[in-house]
């Protein structure tokens, strides 16, 4: 405690650190290995079990069937364009929805009056199943990209809003008083104390929202329209082409996974100041 | 006179609509460069005194004066520090120390220079780029003191700054704070419930009664080494003073 010389993080007992590092590396390796082994096992089971049990291909296509179908979709169904469209609207809907959610969350967080006035409606809308709005949006806007974008925005909006609002309400009062005592203006208190304080909650909300965004787009595409992976699912389903459905689902998962991972990286960078959990 | 309370009464409205008197008719003076402690039972409105000095809220009756001016709101003459260090976790130590200067239009280079000087004075040189979570509780409190002193306040208010620390860290930190404050010649008001701490660190001690808090005694600590509580601690008179406060607080009657 009284040491006057700074000790750079990680410089203490380098030998022990290294040993711990090696042990941690080994642990990471073994979990990675186990994960991959499990994947291989599942893929093998998928490839060989259904034919062995006499399950027809239109019920459960094997891995190789799916890969063959993927090639066909690539050449004949313009898979790339569909995937790109879905990815674009996922990101777009996510961005618009979370931006709106965060903005309104911050505004309501600063006005106790409006927060109280609006909170029952927010709760009601939060509980309402957002995907059920999809047919309505199609009636209103027609068979274009608007309905799926709106469903995505709507589904992304609430978790971000609620997380931000909750975080704004629980900002440490003493921190705000400190800022007030330092004569910081209302806007500066928001920018320098409240906003950074809510970052962990905002990031958590965004992570939830990113997984929901894919659902929003998919439902929008399933219900109406002729583009996107959701459309390929309903199209493939109509033709009893299970492999096509499988492929579309996998690609949707990949899109969601990429978005989630990107957010996790942003989060790790933004919240670098939080002590890392051990292990 | 650096700080003056003129028959200050503060009432709060509780949720059930009752009027709660936190402090009642409190008057005292803290002279420039003096170190005064306020002790009292818990809930006697000690922290209310601090909040009124900082201008976070106004007295119901009476006036609080800092350097002869009536306090009407948060102002730059007062720096305060709580049991919690209130360091912003997303800022490194040096930008935390700069925090108080940011509303004052001090140029960035100047802010940095002043913050570094305060860190030096609080024995934290070399830790400026660390983040709060990388520091021990005692070091974080020293960083909070550096931030408090960086705004060059006329009065430093300390609200139980050592009460969350372990016993040994507490002694060392009291010593380090006392040295730093003596060196900077700051007028200081320390709110504490630790009687020994009040005796070790102060020139004068105000004893508050239970709620509604009023000043029931004023004890002048006539001992040397205010800047070195660890040395003062070895003096036999310390326990006499603590005993005096003890009696004023009527603690025997409560010990069943």
């Amino acid at each position: 405690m009284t040491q006057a010389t700074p000790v750079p993080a990680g410089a203490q007992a380098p030998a022990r650190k290294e040993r711990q590092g090696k042990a941690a590396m080994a642990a990471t390796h073994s979990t990675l290995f186990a994960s991959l082994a499990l994947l291989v096992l599942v893929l093998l089971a998928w490839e060989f079990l259904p034919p062995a049990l006499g399950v027809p291909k239109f019920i459960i296509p094997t891995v190789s069937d799916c890969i063959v179908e993927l090639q066909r979709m690539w050449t004949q169904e313009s898979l790339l364009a569909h995937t790109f469209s879905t990815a674009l609207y996922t990101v777009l809907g996510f961005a618009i929805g979370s931006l709106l959610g965060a903005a309104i969350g911050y505004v309501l967080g600063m006005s106790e009056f409006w927060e109280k006035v609006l909170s029952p409606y927010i709760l009601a809308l939060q509980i309402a199943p957002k995907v059920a709005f999809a047919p309505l949006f199609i009636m209103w806007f027609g068979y274009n990209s608007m309905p799926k974008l709106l469903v995505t925005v709507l589904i992304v909006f609430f978790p971000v809003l609620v997380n931000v609002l909750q975080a704004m309400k629980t900002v440490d009062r003493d921190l705000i008083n400190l800022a007030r005592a330092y004569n910081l203006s209302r806007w500066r208190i928001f920018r320098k104390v409240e906003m950074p304080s809510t970052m962990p909650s905002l990031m958590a909300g965004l992570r939830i929202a990113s997984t929901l965004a894919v659902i929003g787009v998919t439902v929008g595409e399933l219900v109406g329209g002729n583009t996107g992976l959701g459309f390929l699912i309903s199209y493939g389903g109509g033709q009893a082409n299970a492999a096509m459905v499988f492929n579309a689902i996998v690609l949707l998962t990949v899109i969601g996974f990429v978005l989630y991972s990107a957010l996790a990286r942003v989060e790790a960078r933004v919240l670098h100041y939080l002590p890392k959990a051990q292990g | 006179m650096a700080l003056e309370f003129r028959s200050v009464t503060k009432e709060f409205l509780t949720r059930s609509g009752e009027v709660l008197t936190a402090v009642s008719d409190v008057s005292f003076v803290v002279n420039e460069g003096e170190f005064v402690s306020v002790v009292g039972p818990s809930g006697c409105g000690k922290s209310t005194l601090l909040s009124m000095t900082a201008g976070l809220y106004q007295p119901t009756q009476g006036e609080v004066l800092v350097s002869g001016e009536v306090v009407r709101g948060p102002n730059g003459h007062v720096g305060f520090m709580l049991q919690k260090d209130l360091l912003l976790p997303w800022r490194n130590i040096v930008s935390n120390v700069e925090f108080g200067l940011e509303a004052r239009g001090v140029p960035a280079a100047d802010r940095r220079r002043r913050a570094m000087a305060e860190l030096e004075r609080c024995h934290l040189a070399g830790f400026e780029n660390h983040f709060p979570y990388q520091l021990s509780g005692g070091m974080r409190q020293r960083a909070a003191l550096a931030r408090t002193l960086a705004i060059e306040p006329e009065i430093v208010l300390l609200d139980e700054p050592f009460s969350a620390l372990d016993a040994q860290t507490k002694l060392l930190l009291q010593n380090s704070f006392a040295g730093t404050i003596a060196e900077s010649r700051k007028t200081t008001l320390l709110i504490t419930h630790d009687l020994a701490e009040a005796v070790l660190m102060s020139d004068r001690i105000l004893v508050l009664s239970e709620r509604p808090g009023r000043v029931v005694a004023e004890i002048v600590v006539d001992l040397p080494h205010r800047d070195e509580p660890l040395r003062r601690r070895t003096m036999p008179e310390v326990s006499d003073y603590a005993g005096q406060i003890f009696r004023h607080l009527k603690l025997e009657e409560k010990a069943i």
Side-chain angles (χ1 to χ4, degrees):
Chain A
M1 207 291 325
T2 46
Q3 65 212 8
T5 45
V7 179
Q12 293 156 308
R16 204 186 65 198
K17 200 94 189 172
E18 200 171 296
R19 233 179 303 131
Q20 279 177 345
K22 272 185 182 159
M25 283 256 281
T28 325
H29 277 163
S30 64
T31 52
L32 190 69
F33 179 76
S35 288
L36 285 176
L38 192 66
L39 178 70
V40 170
L41 217 64
V42 169
L43 288 179
L44 284 175
W46 183 5
E47 178 68 32
F48 296 110
L49 222 50
L53 296 172
V55 179
K57 285 192 175 198
F58 62 87
I59 302 287
I60 301 182
T62 62
V63 180
S64 49
D65 292 336
C66 286
I67 293 171
V68 171
E69 173 62 15
L70 196 67
Q71 282 165 343
R72 194 196 66 77
M73 286 164 80
W74 179 271
T75 50
Q76 292 176 29
E77 312 282 356
S78 47
L79 179 64
L80 188 64
H82 285 297
T83 309
F84 180 74
S85 165
T86 301
L88 176 69
Y89 282 99
T90 306
V91 172
L92 212 59
F94 171 76
I96 297 173
S98 46
L99 219 61
L100 279 176
I104 294 177
Y106 283 125
V107 169
L108 291 185
M110 286 207 267
S111 161
E112 205 179 332
F113 175 78
W114 285 107
E115 195 258 316
K116 281 196 170 136
V117 170
L118 292 176
S119 65
Y121 307 111
I122 291 173
L123 183 67
L125 274 170
Q126 200 195 340
I127 292 168
K130 262 71 67 184
V131 291
F133 286 82
L136 206 60
F137 289 148
I138 289 170
M139 281 159 55
W140 291 346
F141 299 100
Y143 286 90
N144 51 37
S145 334
M146 201 55 165
K148 66 177 175 185
L149 186 63
L150 282 181
V151 176
T152 312
V153 167
L154 202 61
I155 206 170
V156 163
F157 178 78
F158 287 97
V160 178
L161 169 80
V162 170
N163 268 36
V164 167
L165 187 54
Q166 191 56 36
M168 279 294 277
K169 290 205 288 194
T170 50
V171 175
D172 189 342
R173 291 305 308 169
D174 288 326
L175 266 185
I176 293 177
N177 278 339
L178 181 77
R180 280 179 57 207
Y182 286 149
N183 269 324
L184 263 69
S185 61
R186 184 70 194 86
W187 167 245
R188 278 193 163 163
I189 292 178
F190 171 70
R191 207 162 49 84
K192 296 195 169 185
V193 177
E194 290 176 315
M195 180 115 133
S197 293
T198 59
M199 267 307 147
S201 294
L202 173 65
M203 293 312 299
L206 291 180
R207 246 187 304 136
I208 301 167
S210 72
T211 61
L212 293 174
V214 183
I215 298 177
V217 172
T218 308
V219 171
E221 289 173 347
L222 272 174
V223 175
N226 51 10
T227 40
L229 295 168
F231 163 71
L232 289 186
I233 287 177
S234 74
Y235 178 64
Q239 293 188 325
N241 185 347
M244 193 171 184
V245 178
F246 270 60
N247 285 336
I249 292 175
V250 168
L251 286 171
L252 280 168
T253 310
V254 169
I255 291 173
F257 186 77
V258 169
L259 185 58
Y260 185 92
S261 312
L263 276 171
R265 294 196 88 164
V266 171
E267 181 173 332
R269 186 161 286 200
V270 172
L271 303 180
H272 67 92
Y273 57 83
L274 294 180
K276 313 264 180 305
Q278 290 297 306
Chain B
M1 241 161 304
L3 170 64
E4 186 177 0
F5 271 64
R6 283 190 192 150
S7 36
V8 169
T9 298
K10 178 68 189 176
E11 291 166 348
F12 291 101
L13 217 55
T14 60
R15 270 179 192 209
S16 50
E18 291 161 65
V19 175
L20 185 107
T21 311
V23 291
S24 165
D25 196 27
V26 169
S27 298
F28 65 88
V29 165
V30 180
N31 295 308
E32 226 176 292
E34 212 182 359
F35 195 123
V36 173
S37 289
V38 178
V39 296
S42 53
C44 71
K46 296 189 292 273
S47 298
T48 309
L49 297 182
L50 184 135
S51 298
M52 286 190 289
T53 312
L56 294 175
Y57 43 72
Q58 304 292 310
T60 315
Q61 276 164 39
E63 283 176 329
V64 179
L65 291 92
V66 170
S67 305
E69 280 174 50
V70 178
V71 177
R72 301 199 190 285
N75 61 75
H77 304 304
V78 178
F80 74 90
M81 203 184 137
L82 309 182
Q83 181 182 332
K84 290 190 278 182
D85 54 64
L86 296 182
L87 296 174
L88 304 173
W90 52 86
R91 288 185 174 213
N92 62 18
I93 296 303
V94 68
S95 14
N96 260 296
V97 175
E98 287 175 26
F99 182 51
L101 297 170
E102 286 170 13
R104 308 194 164 190
V106 182
D110 262 16
R111 286 205 300 259
R112 184 54 51 109
R113 198 178 40 72
R114 269 164 77 172
M116 293 301 279
E118 288 306 337
L119 284 174
E120 179 92 25
R121 187 149 71 166
C122 296
H123 312 289
L124 280 171
F127 287 99
E128 58 271 10
N129 293 323
H130 283 55
F131 281 83
Y133 79 91
Q134 296 170 310
L135 266 52
S136 68
M139 288 163 89
R140 283 206 294 268
Q141 279 306 59
R142 290 212 301 260
L145 180 66
R147 178 190 60 201
T148 309
L149 294 177
I151 63 165
E152 292 175 353
E154 280 156 52
I155 301 178
V156 176
L157 304 174
L158 305 174
D159 191 355
E160 310 206 356
F162 313 113
S163 56
L165 302 168
D166 64 82
Q168 283 138 47
T169 306
K170 188 175 186 170
L171 289 176
L172 294 172
L173 205 62
Q174 284 167 350
N175 212 53
S176 143
F177 269 45
T180 306
I181 285 168
E183 188 194 307
S184 61
R185 296 170 206 281
K186 292 290 178 207
T187 309
T188 309
L189 188 69
L190 169 72
I191 310 269
T192 180
H193 59 247
D194 182 336
L195 307 186
E197 180 174 294
V199 177
L200 293 180
M201 298 191 74
S202 328
D203 297 316
R204 201 147 52 89
I205 299 166
L206 300 169
V207 185
L208 287 193
S209 67
E210 282 190 321
R211 198 164 53 215
R214 17 178 140 242
V215 182
V216 288
E218 186 183 332
I219 297 164
V220 176
V221 184
D222 192 13
L223 295 175
H225 307 308
R226 196 201 80 184
D227 57 337
E228 253 180 296
L230 282 178
R231 265 176 89 180
R232 201 184 252 194
R233 196 165 168 262
T234 59
M235 306 179 80
E237 295 92 333
V238 167
S239 59
D240 299 342
Y241 280 110
Q244 266 188 58
I245 308 173
F246 199 82
R247 278 190 295 283
H248 284 298
L249 290 171
K250 299 186 181 136
L251 290 176
E252 288 104 332
E253 298 164 25
K254 289 175 200 156
I256 312 163

